[in-house]
Amino acid sequence: MTPQEKLDVFWAVDMMPHTKGLEAFFEPASVAVIGASSNPTKLGHAVLKNLVEGGYAQRGIVYPVNPKAKEILGHRAYASVLDVPEPIDLAVIIVPHQHVSAVLRACGQKEIPAAIVISAGFREAGMEGVEREQELVAIAREYDIRLVGPNCLGVIDTFTPLNATFAAGVPPSGPTAFMSQSGALGAAILDWAQAGRLGLSKFVSLGNKADVDEIDLLRAWAEDERTRVILVYSEELRKGQEFIHVAREVTRLKPVIAIKSGVTPSGARAVSSHTGSLAGSEQAYQAAFRQAGVLQATSLESLFDIALGLGYQPPLQGDRIAIVTNAGGPGILAADALERAGLTLARFDFETIKALRERLPDTASAGNPVDVLGDASPDRYRFALTTVTADPNVDGLLAMLVPLAGLDVRAMAEAVVSLERETQKPVL
């Protein structure tokens, strides 16, 4: 059989229908860490430590599995999952790739419904890896096991709390769920979140996507009450038409933001060597995301900016935006950017313009953008913010501030935060 024929067989197996949901990945009553280790340098130690110290051990049961240990991190160890007398909801597998199939089969015999395979050495490693991954898929189908990975970082649910990864630290809870095909990129995102820049509800490192993929998670997270925004990092979408169909339904309920790599020839070659994926053209993905109502980010920075705006602000009910600034130039640039994005500058009511003219200096601008001038006090800035936001012709506010010498920047920032808490309109 040629390499291409082997890939065709792999995809055929991979396309078989799934029969179970994903609840066991996020709210398991018990977790077995297969390959758990007492050696702090091993991934099996990091995963077990995250489960124990991340709070999961206070609500669920953790079973370390290691044939050479009696106890790890204060928890009794077992030689095999088959030796655990109680049911197990989730298995995290961190063993050398040549042993993963046997371990997964034991999980099937134990009737474990879900497994995370962190181990690498599968499709990303060439044709022999493809065959190993195909075998994993066949075992998972035989025993009706849902599978995340292989070659992944793991899964996090901050509300459970569950940290079944080997990443350092736990992100704060928040309204954003993130799925990533890259484990290393996922680790960087978790680091960003831990710095207080974004709160996460769920995190899944998809790895090679032998079973669970973006479509499965879109379906699951569409119904998740703790998730307001879904973020997607993908290197390839094998089931493009199904993704468009599902995403179109999900985006009617909550925003989906995607960043797609491997859209240039150089990027496509890098993707192939990274996760063994087949990439597509930039134009094709742009069209697919547009059809599905998915917002496409062009960088990690823009991905997080959009997530912050949609995750922590009320929905924008119209396209009429007010700008309040203490410097004319940035206000003009913002007006240009809004128009390019398909938004409009709000036309203020007569009463709004009158109130602004009465309180602002003569040289200030009472039109939109509102320029309160560089010497604005916190009170003047706060007045302009609250006045234009109350205007019925305004759907959202963009607050801008250049930190000029002599300004009480903290007080002016607090004015924006105070307004944000009082209004039902988005304030950025």
Side-chain angles (χ1 to χ4, degrees):
M1 183 179 290
T2 67
Q4 185 58 51
E5 287 171 337
K6 290 180 179 179
L7 279 172
D8 291 341
V9 171
F10 174 80
W11 298 135
V13 173
D14 188 55
M15 293 293 188
M16 290 177 64
H18 306 312
T19 58
K20 286 187 179 179
L22 307 183
E23 297 83 2
F25 287 110
F26 305 112
E27 298 180 0
S30 56
V31 179
V33 180
I34 306 171
S37 175
S38 57
N39 184 343
T41 66
K42 300 291 187 180
L43 294 184
H45 180 88
V47 173
L48 183 64
K49 184 179 179 181
N50 280 342
L51 284 168
V52 172
E53 297 184 358
Y56 177 77
Q58 279 69 57
R59 78 169 294 278
I61 306 172
V62 179
Y63 299 110
V65 177
N66 186 320
K68 298 180 181 179
K70 298 295 183 183
E71 181 182 290
I72 305 176
L73 292 180
H75 293 260
R76 177 186 172 185
Y78 296 83
S80 166
V81 290
L82 298 174
D83 297 328
V84 179
E86 293 83 10
I88 299 171
D89 289 338
L90 175 64
V92 185
I93 301 173
I94 323 153
V95 299
H97 62 72
Q98 59 267 31
H99 302 303
V100 173
S101 292
V103 166
L104 188 62
R105 188 171 295 279
C107 291
Q109 294 167 355
K110 181 65 178 174
E111 298 183 348
I112 300 175
I116 302 168
V117 180
I118 290 176
S119 309
F122 293 89
R123 176 161 41 108
E124 80 285 358
M127 288 312 307
E128 289 185 2
V130 168
E131 293 175 353
R132 286 192 289 267
E133 191 163 319
Q134 181 180 345
E135 183 180 10
L136 284 191
V137 173
I139 294 170
R141 297 293 186 264
E142 178 183 352
Y143 290 99
D144 208 11
I145 301 171
R146 295 312 308 264
L147 183 69
V148 166
N151 183 32
C152 74
L153 181 65
V155 172
I156 292 175
D157 188 309
T158 61
F159 289 94
T160 295
L162 172 82
N163 183 0
T165 74
F166 57 91
V170 180
S173 297
T176 306
F178 191 94
M179 63 181 88
S180 174
Q181 193 171 349
S182 165
L185 182 66
I189 288 157
L190 293 176
D191 184 63
W192 191 310
Q194 289 169 44
R197 298 172 183 171
L198 189 69
L200 297 179
S201 57
K202 291 176 171 60
F203 168 85
V204 174
S205 169
L206 288 164
N208 292 3
K209 302 189 293 188
D211 173 27
V212 174
D213 61 11
E214 295 91 350
I215 297 169
D216 295 302
L217 292 177
L218 281 178
R219 287 190 173 114
W221 292 349
E223 301 174 357
D224 181 23
E225 295 180 353
R226 290 168 172 161
T227 296
R228 288 184 60 183
V229 181
I230 299 173
L231 306 183
V232 181
Y233 168 77
S234 179
E235 295 176 353
E236 48 80 43
L237 295 169
R238 293 196 295 270
K239 298 175 256 184
Q241 289 301 318
E242 186 179 359
F243 176 88
I244 293 173
H245 173 74
V246 173
R248 186 181 290 123
E249 297 301 317
V250 175
T251 54
R252 292 173 179 171
L253 303 174
K254 58 187 65 174
V256 176
I257 311 165
I259 181 168
K260 172 71 180 66
S261 67
V263 293
T264 65
S266 296
R269 288 192 294 271
V271 164
S272 179
S273 63
H274 181 213
T275 53
S277 300
L278 302 175
S281 73
E282 184 170 12
Q283 292 78 9
Y285 280 106
Q286 287 177 346
F289 290 149
R290 192 160 47 245
Q291 289 180 47
V294 174
L295 300 172
Q296 186 173 7
T298 56
S299 67
L300 282 179
E301 183 178 9
S302 66
L303 183 78
F304 278 98
D305 286 344
I306 300 169
L308 285 170
L310 296 177
Y312 292 91
Q313 294 287 329
L316 186 65
Q317 300 298 322
D319 64 356
R320 303 168 301 176
I321 309 300
I323 300 173
V324 174
T325 178
N326 69 333
I332 296 169
L333 289 173
D336 288 340
L338 286 171
E339 185 169 328
R340 291 193 194 101
L343 301 170
T344 62
L345 286 179
R347 294 179 176 273
F348 297 147
D349 269 357
F350 173 76
E351 293 300 323
T352 299
I353 297 174
K354 178 182 177 183
L356 290 171
R357 285 176 174 168
E358 289 176 351
R359 287 284 299 272
L360 298 182
D362 292 341
T363 53
S365 170
N368 193 11
V370 178
D371 184 357
V372 296
L373 302 181
D375 64 347
S377 65
D379 286 342
R380 187 195 303 171
Y381 190 59
R382 182 182 296 107
F383 170 77
L385 294 173
T386 55
T387 300
V388 301
T389 304
D391 191 304
N393 296 324
V394 171
D395 298 310
L397 172 69
L398 178 60
M400 306 185 71
L401 183 70
V402 177
L404 302 172
L407 293 184
D408 188 346
V409 173
R410 177 177 293 274
M412 298 172 96
E414 289 172 348
V416 178
V417 173
S418 177
L419 172 65
E420 182 182 10
R421 292 171 176 166
E422 295 170 0
T423 182
Q424 293 303 307
K425 298 177 182 179
V427 177
L428 300 181

